[in-house]
Every structure is written in C-alpha cells, then in structure tokens.
Amino acid sequence: LRLGLGMATLMETTNCQALSHHPNLENFCLSDFRFLPDDPDKSLDSLWEALSTCPKLSNLEIFSNQFTENPWTADGLANLAASSSLNQLTLRRLALSHEDIEPFSECVTNGRNSALKILNLRENKLGDDGCLAVARGMRTSGVLELD
C-alpha cells in the first residue's frame, strides 16, 4: 500500500492513530504541506511516532517549501530511526539543523535501524556539525547511499 499526500493542509496532527501499526503501509509520501495558521501543535511528531510502528514501511518521503524552522522535535525525528523496516528515507527542504539530526544519527549509530540503506537530506540546514553527525551514523549503520 502506498499513501501519498501532496499540497495538503494538516489539521490536528496529534491524532494519527489510523496509521499506527498499519499492517500493509509500505510507502508514505507527504509533499508541499502546511499547517493551519491557528493549529497550536504545528508538529509532525505524532505522525513520525505512528509511522515508526508500521511493520512494512520501507520508503518514507517528506518534503516541503514552507518551512524556515523544522516542524517537529529532535525526539520525534529519532522515532523514525527506530523503525526496523525503513529502507529509504527522504527528508528534503524541512530546515533540519544539527540539533535536529543528532538524536536521529545516534539511533542509527546504535543499530536501532539496520534496514536503512538510502538517506536523502537535501536542502536542509545541517551545516558542518550536522553533516559530521550523519557521517558518524553512516559509518556504523550500513547506509549505502547519502544524497
């Protein structure tokens, strides 16, 4: 099963239970999304948590043109690293910084995701420290391709 959402306005992202533990979801794509202006949460953490529980999720693509600051916490991003089935991860144009990517890289380094082979972090704000954190994670994790 592939689920793709483009040009979406997200509402009440705190309730993503419909996706949690979905038995057949293999591919998820969320592109060019935005939050409602009055949404107090404005975070994708609950979405990351739900997707990290999907046993067959192998490809996750998230990208947007809307953000100057990232729409989740570092711990929320680390939930993705805990997914045991995630093979390809694309996080583009999301204003990721060193502080955001460090917990993710630590999870990958510690072997919490041995399936990850392709990581795409184009057009973020990682800087030198973020790139070093990603490199440390790749060194021990088995990631074969970084874009």
Side-chain angles (χ1 to χ4, degrees):
L1 176 65
R2 176 176 170 78
L3 178 60
L5 303 171
M7 303 284 297
T9 298
L10 302 179
M11 301 179 294
E12 299 180 28
T13 57
T14 55
N15 188 3
C16 294
Q17 300 225 353
L19 290 173
S20 187
H21 299 283
H22 193 290
N24 298 317
L25 185 61
E26 295 177 12
N27 296 291
F28 185 87
C29 178
L30 179 62
S31 67
D32 295 321
F33 61 95
R34 64 185 178 104
F35 296 101
L36 286 177
D38 58 346
D39 185 349
D41 184 24
K42 288 189 174 49
S43 171
L44 294 177
D45 287 344
S46 61
L47 177 62
W48 298 155
E49 186 175 346
L51 290 172
S52 71
T53 67
C54 297
K56 292 185 178 180
L57 185 66
S58 63
N59 183 17
L60 177 59
E61 299 175 52
I62 310 290
F63 50 95
S64 181
N65 289 321
Q66 302 287 327
F67 301 106
T68 56
E69 294 184 21
N70 73 329
W72 57 76
T73 65
D75 290 336
L77 186 58
N79 277 327
L80 288 178
S83 170
S84 61
S85 62
L86 193 59
N87 181 270
Q88 182 172 341
L89 177 61
T90 299
L91 301 171
R92 290 183 58 196
R93 295 182 296 207
L94 296 172
L96 289 174
S97 69
H98 166 252
E99 292 82 14
D100 303 319
I101 205 69
E102 184 72 35
F104 175 84
S105 294
E106 287 175 14
C107 287
V108 171
T109 300
N110 294 330
R112 290 182 60 192
N113 182 336
S114 58
L116 189 63
K117 299 297 178 210
I118 300 171
L119 179 61
N120 182 338
L121 298 170
R122 280 189 195 176
E123 301 171 83
N124 282 291
K125 299 177 179 181
L126 297 178
D128 292 343
D129 290 337
C131 291
L132 288 172
V134 171
R136 281 192 302 272
M138 288 178 59
R139 183 177 51 210
T140 58
S141 69
V143 173
L144 299 176
E145 184 178 321
L146 177 64
D147 195 0

